[in-house]
Amino acid sequence: MSAEGYNIAVAGATGAVGGAMLDVLNRRNFPIKQLRLLASERSVGKKLQFKGQDIAVELLSKDAFEGIDVALFSAGASRSLDFAPAAAAAGAVVVDNSSAYRMDPEIPLVVPEVNPGAIAQYTKRGIIANPNCSTIQMMVALKPIYDKVGIKRIVVSTYQAVSGTGANAIEELKNQVKAYVAGEKIINDVYPHQIAFNCLPHIDSFLDNGYTKEEMKMVNETRKIFNDSKIGVTATTVRVPVFYGHSESVNIETEKKISAEEVRALLKNAPGVKLVDKPQLCEYPLALDCAGKFETLVGRIREDESIDNGINMWIVSDNILKGAALNAVQIAEVLIKDYL
Ligand code: 25A
Ligand code: L14
């Protein structure tokens, strides 16, 4: 670890996730020597604040990475495919938040609480992939149970916030609510249907098997992160009119029996988890409570009475923080501590 800090670039700095990356770097006091902010033509020259200083946004280009130690990417998959290899060739280690490289066998897919050891594989291509938001929060909550009693199968339904889609989707939900209250016409550009006061069983595009890409990310990324090609996962991912925080109903079938009480005891001390499970007091994880927090909230822990070894739970986390920006910065923290 270097005493004077690291040169960090943020590609997609003006977006919903990029902005959160700056906030997390600041909140966790990441040792920064120089910070370079990159985005599209549209934002060049725009100034963003970091620790009281104004920093001008520069163009994301292949030559923007000279002297950079770690490049945090969050400008969409096509930008990552175009620019991450150039950043790595310039000597930066890329932590990529898009779906571009996640299933590449040469690129590690990392949740620091779950498989930090995989980071060592970054040397192959100079890129580390940050998993999908819905997958990350589920992994954080399930890891202690997986290690203790084994998990055979996961059935998950998600209730995902609009911020996952980006800054323009946050605007769309706000505008639709305003239009509804004012009795005006509701316009949808980002989503194929009105999202205000609605639920859309459609996140990312549809595949030939009838599932969405988002659903299949949860299946394939879970297997890669747990390094378990046999674990069964089936997902239904739904967009709900919430700004920040994905909620998930998760049902697991374990290899060995575990009681709800034992799950609560395990999760009470699990890294990155906050147990919120006093339903008699109306205390359970809520999207509104997770916004801005680093922890993944877990509650409504119950035994599934329809099978021998089953548990139900409700898992909620800030999709922009643990689901994206925080997880990426945590990966960078392990990198500088153990490898750079
Ligand atoms: O894979 P795709 O389809 O390309 O997906 C891209 C989308 O993924 C989001 C991101 O949302 C983007 O919309 N995204 C990224 N990581 C994600 C994650 N982990 C994620 N979503 C969920 N989970 P965003 O709007 O929050 O961030 C966009 C950032 O990317 C920069 N960018 C876009 N194109 C670029 C580029 N940078 C370099 N080269 C390019 N060609 C983008 O910078 C932003 O930082 P920007 O300068 O283009 O946008 C500044 C602001 O402009 C607004 N805006 C967005 N779209 C439009 C727009 N304004 C006018 N017209 C538009 N069409 C936004 O408010 C943005 O903040
Ligand atoms: O794969 O629209 O990181 O909520 C996660 C959230 C893609 C889009 C990813 C959304 C994304 C998505």
Side-chain angles (χ1 to χ4, degrees), residues 2 35 37 41 43 70 95 99 110-111 114 124 128 142 160 174-175 179 187 207 212 244 250 268 285 291 322 324:
S2 141
L35 183 60
L37 305 181
E41 192 81 59
S43 296
V70 180
V95 181
S99 58
V110 178
V111 181
V114 180
K124 287 185 185 154
I128 300 166
L142 294 187
Q160 297 187 215
K174 275 188 198 159
N175 290 336
I187 298 163
L207 298 164
T212 61
Y244 294 97
V250 175
K268 213 173 162 75
K322 185 57 187 166

Side-chain angles (χ1 to χ4, degrees), residues 100-123:
Y101 296 103
R102 289 180 190 148
M103 294 316 296
D104 187 321
E106 291 198 332
I107 291 179
L109 182 66
V110 178
V111 181
E113 291 87 345
V114 180
N115 63 337
I119 290 177
Q121 304 298 313
Y122 83 89
T123 48

Side-chain angles (χ1 to χ4, degrees), residues 10-19 21 38-44 46 48 57-61 73-80 82-83 96-99 102 130-133 162-171 204 239 246 319-320 323-325:
V10 177
T14 49
V17 174
M21 283 171 166
L38 307 169
S40 76
E41 192 81 59
R42 191 162 55 220
S43 296
V44 170
K46 184 177 170 184
L48 298 180
V57 175
E58 299 169 56
L59 184 67
L60 172 60
S61 73
F73 268 70
S74 191
S78 50
R79 261 69 61 187
S80 295
D82 286 347
F83 298 104
D96 180 37
N97 197 41
S98 81
S99 58
R102 289 180 190 148
N130 203 53
N132 167 260
C133 38
V162 297
S163 52
T165 315
N168 49 352
I170 299 174
E171 282 311 301
D204 209 335
R239 183 83 59 200
H246 290 353
N319 55 301
I320 297 297

Side-chain angles (χ1 to χ4, degrees), residues 33 35 54 58 74 81 92-93 99 103 127 139 142 153 164 180 210 268 279 285 293 302 306 326 330:
K33 190 158 68 183
L35 183 60
D54 278 345
E58 299 169 56
S74 191
L81 289 168
V93 182
S99 58
M103 294 316 296
I127 302 172
M139 295 294 88
L142 294 187
R153 179 168 185 253
Y180 177 86
K268 213 173 162 75
K293 291 208 178 79
R302 291 150 288 153
S306 73
L326 171 62
Q330 285 177 296

Side-chain angles (χ1 to χ4, degrees), residues 89-271:
V93 182
V94 174
V95 181
D96 180 37
N97 197 41
S98 81
S99 58
Y101 296 103
R102 289 180 190 148
M103 294 316 296
D104 187 321
E106 291 198 332
I107 291 179
L109 182 66
V110 178
V111 181
E113 291 87 345
V114 180
N115 63 337
I119 290 177
Q121 304 298 313
Y122 83 89
T123 48
K124 287 185 185 154
R125 300 269 291 279
I127 302 172
I128 300 166
N130 203 53
N132 167 260
C133 38
S134 303
T135 311
I136 294 178
Q137 67 184 69
M138 187 169 82
M139 295 294 88
V140 168
L142 294 187
K143 169 71 172 169
I145 305 170
Y146 184 88
D147 287 348
K148 185 85 177 176
V149 289
I151 297 176
K152 268 197 225 170
R153 179 168 185 253
I154 303 170
V155 181
V156 52
S157 298
T158 68
Y159 305 66
Q160 297 187 215
V162 297
S163 52
T165 315
N168 49 352
I170 299 174
E171 282 311 301
E172 179 150 308
L173 175 55
K174 275 188 198 159
N175 290 336
Q176 289 184 356
V177 171
K178 279 189 213 152
Y180 177 86
V181 172
E184 289 163 5
K185 187 173 177 322
I186 291 185
I187 298 163
N188 58 289
D189 285 327
V190 178
Y191 296 119
H193 302 280
Q194 176 181 329
I195 181 60
F197 315 107
N198 208 358
C199 297
L200 312 179
H202 176 182
I203 297 185
D204 209 335
S205 47
F206 280 96
L207 298 164
D208 287 345
N209 65 359
Y211 287 83
T212 61
K213 276 193 187 165
E214 184 78 353
E215 288 160 351
M216 294 315 294
K217 286 177 221 166
M218 295 195 78
V219 175
N220 297 322
E221 295 181 23
T222 295
R223 290 183 175 153
K224 181 165 174 178
I225 295 162
F226 276 158
N227 190 22
D228 179 348
S229 58
K230 291 204 300 281
I231 190 168
V233 184
T234 188
T236 302
T237 58
V238 180
R239 183 83 59 200
V240 296
V242 164
F243 287 110
Y244 294 97
H246 290 353
S247 303
E248 299 179 341
S249 163
V250 175
N251 173 270
I252 56 172
E253 184 176 358
T254 54
E255 300 277 356
K256 286 189 241 144
K257 173 103 192 134
I258 186 164
S259 69
E261 207 39 59
E262 288 169 308
V263 171
R264 273 189 283 271
L266 271 181
L267 293 182
K268 213 173 162 75
N269 300 310

